[in-house]
Every structure is written in C-alpha cells, then in structure tokens.
Amino acid sequence: MAIRSKIQNTPVGLERDMKLSFWWLFDVSPAKAIVESKLYDRYHDISFLLEIDLSIQSILDFEIEERRTPFSVCPGAIPRYDFLRGTKFNRPAIDIAIKDKIPQSQLGCIRISQLLYYAVDNFVSAIGYELKSRQIPDRWNEERHVADSEPFEKRSAAVHQWWIRDRIMKNSCYTMSEGFVNLEDRKFLESETTISNLLLGIRKSKK
C-alpha cells in the first residue's frame, strides 16, 4: 500500500518550512557572505543571520530574530550562541563548538541549532553555484542560453565534469563519484578554474 494513500483523508498535524538565502559580497575586503536561515511553523518564526568572512571561512557576526516562539522564555537561549563569533564555518568546527560551549546542563535551543546546521550544510553548494555562474563561459553554462551556446547536452556533460574534477566536490555524492569521470567531456572546461582554486584565491586576496 502506498504511503501517500495512508494519509489521504487525514488532516496534517504540523507543517514546518525552512528556507535559506545567500548574499555574496565579493567586492569588499575581505570578501564576505551573508546567510539567512529561516524556520516557520505555527509555533516558530525565527531567522538566523550569519556574516561570514570568506577569506578565512569564519563567522564574523550573527543575529537571531525570534518573531514567534512557543514559550516566552525561548529568547533566553540566544546569548548561549555568542561563542560562534570567530568559529570556522564548517560542519566539524560547528559540531565541536556546540558540544564544547553548550553543555547539557545549559542547553541552547534545538531550533537555533537546526538553523545553524542547515546553513553550514548548504554553504559549500551555495558558494559553488555562485562561483560556477561567474566562472563558466556563457556558451558552456547549462543554466543559460546565448546565441553561440553549445548544445544543452554537451554543456551539461562538460559542467558535470568541471564539478567532478574539483577536490571539494569529487566523491562528495553519487553523481560526483569517480565512476562518472569522462575525459572526453572534461576537456571542454579543463582550463577553467575549479571551485577549490577560486576559494583559495579569495583566501590569498586578504594577504
């Protein structure tokens, strides 16, 4: 029996929406990103804003806005996250920081932590797509169509190989595994700088 059919005539209990927005400030020094991670349901309306220094991939500052919470004491958890300033913005560093700085006897907020994890877990993909849009020539970008665009299938295959050869993305998921390496398709964008090298350039630009 299909799972969908089991709930066909049953009212939904809770619907929860989470959303991410990214702003890229490459024209300032050091280059920065602003990330907004949002949660909305009938009990919560929360935004977690993070300012990231891209040159060292660390949290410069943050703001937590709680427009609706289930209990009046919930905002009391916000100061527990002050330790985030200066923390590296990657999953291992965030995991360690939360475990070290928020002991079980002084719990933070599960929803705030979820918003933080949601932001950091999607950050590499988000900046990867942004840098790809700036790096890949228009005629090879599978998301664009210009007068001299290559056929879509050819563009898509070449961009796929551009992603795979990046050391950050290689073997990060099924579609980025070595089994999909195709040297014939790779040659078309072989000379284009990878995400890893673009990020390295951002870090070096601060020095």
Side-chain angles (χ1 to χ4, degrees):
M1 184 179 185
I3 295 176
R4 178 66 63 187
S5 67
K6 297 177 182 178
I7 57 174
Q8 184 174 349
N9 301 306
T10 303
V12 65
L14 173 68
E15 290 184 296
R16 174 168 292 156
D17 295 319
M18 295 182 72
K19 182 179 178 181
L20 280 173
S21 300
F22 296 87
W23 292 265
W24 308 107
L25 310 178
F26 291 114
D27 296 330
V28 301
S29 183
K32 298 176 183 176
I34 305 294
V35 186
E36 183 176 18
S37 185
K38 297 192 289 188
L39 183 149
Y40 184 90
D41 61 31
R42 65 187 182 190
Y43 303 108
H44 303 86
D45 184 358
I46 304 173
S47 290
F48 197 149
L49 288 150
L50 294 141
E51 183 178 9
I52 310 300
D53 182 338
L54 293 176
S55 68
I56 54 176
Q57 200 173 325
S58 292
I59 299 171
L60 285 172
D61 202 2
F62 73 92
E63 295 174 4
I64 299 171
E65 302 170 347
E66 295 192 335
R67 292 170 290 274
R68 180 170 63 251
T69 57
F71 308 107
S72 61
V73 297
C74 287
I78 293 176
R80 308 286 177 117
Y81 292 85
D82 285 347
F83 66 88
L84 286 174
R85 293 181 181 88
T87 300
K88 289 289 186 181
F89 195 59
N90 58 62
R91 185 59 183 250
I94 295 295
D95 272 336
I96 292 170
I98 285 182
K99 290 174 182 176
D100 286 349
K101 302 297 184 180
I102 305 182
Q104 291 296 309
S105 59
Q106 296 178 332
L107 295 175
C109 169
I110 189 172
R111 303 303 166 214
I112 291 175
S113 294
Q114 282 179 330
L115 288 172
L116 177 60
Y117 285 131
Y118 190 43
V120 74
D121 287 346
N122 287 276
F123 185 72
V124 170
S125 292
I127 195 170
Y129 281 117
E130 176 64 21
L131 293 176
K132 185 203 79 167
S133 72
R134 293 166 177 258
Q135 183 64 28
I136 301 298
D138 281 349
R139 75 186 191 96
W140 282 102
N141 193 324
E142 85 283 16
E143 297 183 66
R144 299 177 186 169
H145 184 78
V146 294
D148 62 344
S149 286
E150 297 292 337
F152 175 77
E153 293 78 8
K154 192 174 181 180
R155 280 181 279 156
S156 179
V159 171
H160 184 199
Q161 296 304 309
W162 180 81
W163 283 106
I164 291 177
R165 74 184 180 92
D166 183 76
R167 65 181 178 81
I168 291 177
M169 302 307 299
K170 187 176 181 180
N171 291 324
S172 63
C173 71
Y174 174 73
T175 61
M176 298 297 161
S177 64
E178 294 180 357
F180 286 101
V181 171
N182 185 313
L183 298 180
E184 183 63 26
D185 291 330
R186 175 173 291 189
K187 68 183 181 183
F188 298 112
L189 293 177
E190 190 69 38
S191 63
E192 298 299 327
T193 304
T194 62
I195 295 298
S196 297
N197 287 331
L198 288 168
L199 290 174
L200 183 60
I202 291 173
R203 290 195 289 271
K204 286 182 176 179
S205 67
K206 185 178 181 180
K207 297 179 181 179

